[in-house]
């Protein structure tokens, strides 16, 4: 092959490398910058929907945590009227929605995953699917906690959620107690093959794992012995808890003090 | 520059093109195949959580819809104990979770988005964030419908959800009525700048838009005049409804007959 042919072949190879599906996506990622200062995550001073705090800290992205100063005024201006939100994204990342703040925890989590993919999204598409499933399952637990907190369910149902006798995996999924969820998660971490290391994925801190840890942590504040019969999950929890980035959030160093417990033990327990 | 130096430079350029964040991801996508036959989406014969049906059809991926034959037996074996699930993924896509089925609607949607990114994920990261936010907001509406369906809220609260007088955007987000949600979605489509075309994104059929359409469609079965005062949203709905892929799902051609309405008008309305 002569010199010119080699150059042409190289150029074609480079072009083809960039024209696989979603190459536009990489271009967007590569030009993302934080030249306009750190990301700003707004959330209440509560330990509730805090998965994105753990994800931001583990990602290594530059960010600050802020509390809403005048919540009513802020709420009226938000796309979805609720927190958390992420502000101060690089302009191109918010361009498709008019430069507005990024709302919906799920969207914030997937934004973090896209900014630091190897660690926060997973080592490949299959690990991303592990992370997404964990996000979904943790959100299901979160919704159950919220139904109890807001008294949408009776005191009896609340006690039943926490009962060690409520372990029927064939009940309707809206009636799943916490130990049904934990049993499913334990089986899942075993399927993923990294339970010995206390991880679901290679990094162990994908956004789904951050969301799961945040949710299990809220549960452990209510029932400390929660994980004692779930070996893999307990390894996951203990390993994740010890990571320095996790300690930054748990210590309150980034949130102007330790975030107070939000979900409480039902009175009837 | 001599010949050898040029070759080395070309090789380095190719390597760098592949070593941008998450290049492993592209490799996974490129090798994904459906050699093992079509994807299989399992869901009940109901018009409820059907966003992934619309997304599969719009994606152009090869798939079949199946109903569980023995739901109790199936439920016991699923990672999360609920539907929808996606089966028969290429082996490498399910490898990180032991080859199990893919559960959690959110994970199924993001899988479809990753398989056909330009159309289903969006033209760039910012459009992906539009799609993710729509998914989150549509799920919030879905949860409200489910709370009514399962009688978690009173009849009075159910009527209030559908009331045209319930338009206070400063109420707690768990008390948002449907017209508060619609007002937020209308403002959002205007922010996105493509309301004239009835789209939130360039393709108009990202997974978030599929989820939103499915949810609005369930609402319209209860209140047909739902969108009359929301110009952009109405354009979105009418345009999406007319798309051939949408008609395939609405007609029941892929689901062994039209899916029956699941969420009903509250008795008290």
């Amino acid at each position: 092959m002569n010199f010119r042919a080699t150059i042409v072949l190289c150029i074609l190879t480079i072009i083809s490398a960039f024209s696989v599906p979603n190459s536009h996506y990489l271009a967007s990622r590569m030009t993302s910058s934080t030249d306009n200062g750190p990301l700003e995550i707004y959330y209440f001073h509560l330990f509730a929907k805090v998965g994105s705090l753990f994800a931001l800290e583990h990602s290594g992205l530059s960010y600050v945590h802020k509390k809403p100063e005048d919540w009513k005024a802020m709420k009226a201006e938000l796309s979805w009227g609720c927190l958390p939100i992420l502000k101060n994204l690089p302009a191109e990342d918010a361009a498709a929605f008019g430069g507005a703040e990024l709302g919906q925890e799920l969207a914030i989590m997937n934004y973090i995953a896209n900014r630091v993919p190897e660690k926060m999204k997973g080592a490949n598409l299959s690990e991303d699917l592990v992370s997404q499933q964990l996000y979904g399952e943790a959100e299901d637990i979160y919704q159950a906690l919220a139904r109890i907190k807001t008294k949408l369910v009776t005191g009896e149902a609340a006690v039943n959620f926490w009962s060690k006798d409520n372990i029927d995996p064939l009940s309707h999924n809206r009636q799943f107690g916490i130990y049904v969820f934990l049993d499913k998660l334990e089986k899942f971490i075993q399927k993923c093959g990294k339970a010995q290391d206390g991880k679901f994925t290679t990094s162990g801190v994908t956004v789904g794992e951050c969301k799961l840890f945040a949710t299990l942590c809220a549960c452990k504040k209510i029932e400390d012995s929660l994980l004692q019969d779930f070996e893999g999950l307990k390894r996951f929890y203990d390993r994740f808890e010890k990571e320095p980035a996790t300690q930054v959030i748990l210590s309150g160093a980034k949130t102007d003090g330790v975030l107070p417990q939000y979900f409480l033990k039902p009175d009837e327990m």
Side-chain angles (χ1 to χ4, degrees), chain A:
Chain A
M1 199 188 305
N2 67 22
F3 178 73
R4 206 188 310 186
T6 308
I7 294 293
V8 169
L9 182 67
C10 285
I11 291 171
L12 286 176
T13 310
I14 293 165
I15 291 171
S16 76
F18 272 105
S19 60
V20 292
N22 235 20
S23 60
H24 50 277
Y25 217 88
L26 291 174
S28 169
R29 273 182 215 147
M30 290 169 77
T31 57
S32 287
S33 69
T34 51
D35 288 345
N36 50 341
L39 295 166
E40 296 172 356
I41 180 92
Y42 281 79
Y43 193 60
F44 307 108
H45 194 67
L46 296 168
F47 198 94
K49 208 150 215 174
V50 291
S52 44
L53 285 179
F54 290 102
L56 279 167
E57 189 64 33
H58 277 280
S59 75
L61 290 167
S62 174
Y63 78 100
V64 290
H65 170 262
K66 296 194 171 189
K67 285 177 282 190
E69 285 184 21
D70 180 347
W71 171 230
K72 279 218 164 181
M74 184 180 215
K75 184 179 174 81
E77 288 185 3
L78 299 180
S79 293
W80 315 117
C82 44
L83 296 183
I85 57 158
L86 195 65
K87 292 181 82 164
N88 211 28
L89 276 63
E92 71 268 31
D93 292 348
F97 43 106
E101 83 288 346
L102 179 63
Q104 294 288 346
E105 185 196 44
L106 161 68
I108 294 170
M109 291 298 235
N110 280 325
Y111 179 63
I112 297 166
N114 276 300
R115 287 288 300 274
V116 188
E118 184 84 31
K119 195 172 180 185
M120 306 309 296
K121 185 179 249 185
N124 50 48
L125 174 57
S126 192
E127 285 202 351
D128 186 18
L129 298 178
V130 168
S131 171
Q132 298 288 325
Q133 288 180 88
L134 291 179
Y135 182 94
E137 188 70 355
E139 177 65 15
D140 286 347
I141 298 174
Y142 184 89
Q143 291 292 334
L145 295 176
R147 285 193 292 271
I148 293 172
K149 175 79 182 178
T150 57
K151 308 268 184 202
L152 267 182
V153 297
T154 63
E156 187 186 7
V159 171
N160 195 41
F161 176 79
W162 289 102
S163 167
K164 288 206 168 186
D165 300 327
N166 176 8
I167 51 168
D168 179 10
L170 293 181
S171 59
H172 189 283
N173 53 315
R174 289 195 164 256
Q175 265 83 57
F176 283 170
I178 186 66
Y179 294 101
V180 177
F181 283 115
L182 295 179
D183 184 57
K184 291 184 182 306
L185 286 161
E186 176 65 27
K187 286 176 178 146
F188 193 69
I189 199 171
Q190 300 296 342
K191 282 179 200 167
C192 294
K194 295 175 179 64
Q196 281 300 315
D197 303 325
K199 296 178 175 183
F200 289 87
T201 67
T202 308
S203 79
V205 295
T206 57
V207 292
E209 286 162 293
C210 290
K211 168 84 173 174
L212 178 62
F213 177 81
T215 310
L216 292 179
C217 191
C219 291
K220 265 194 116 232
K221 288 173 191 289
I222 293 174
E223 180 59 65
D224 190 50
S225 68
L226 193 72
L227 302 175
Q228 68 183 11
D229 297 331
F230 301 94
E231 193 185 330
L233 262 190
K234 189 170 184 314
R235 264 181 213 269
F236 164 75
Y237 190 90
D238 293 344
R239 189 267 314 161
F240 193 107
E241 185 181 34
K242 286 195 194 90
E243 297 228 4
T246 307
Q247 286 297 320
V248 168
I249 301 303
L250 292 176
S251 71
K254 276 287 180 80
T255 50
D256 196 19
V258 175
L259 295 175
Q261 183 174 356
Y262 176 68
F263 297 112
L264 305 174
K265 192 182 284 237
D267 298 336
E268 300 81 354
M269 258 171 84

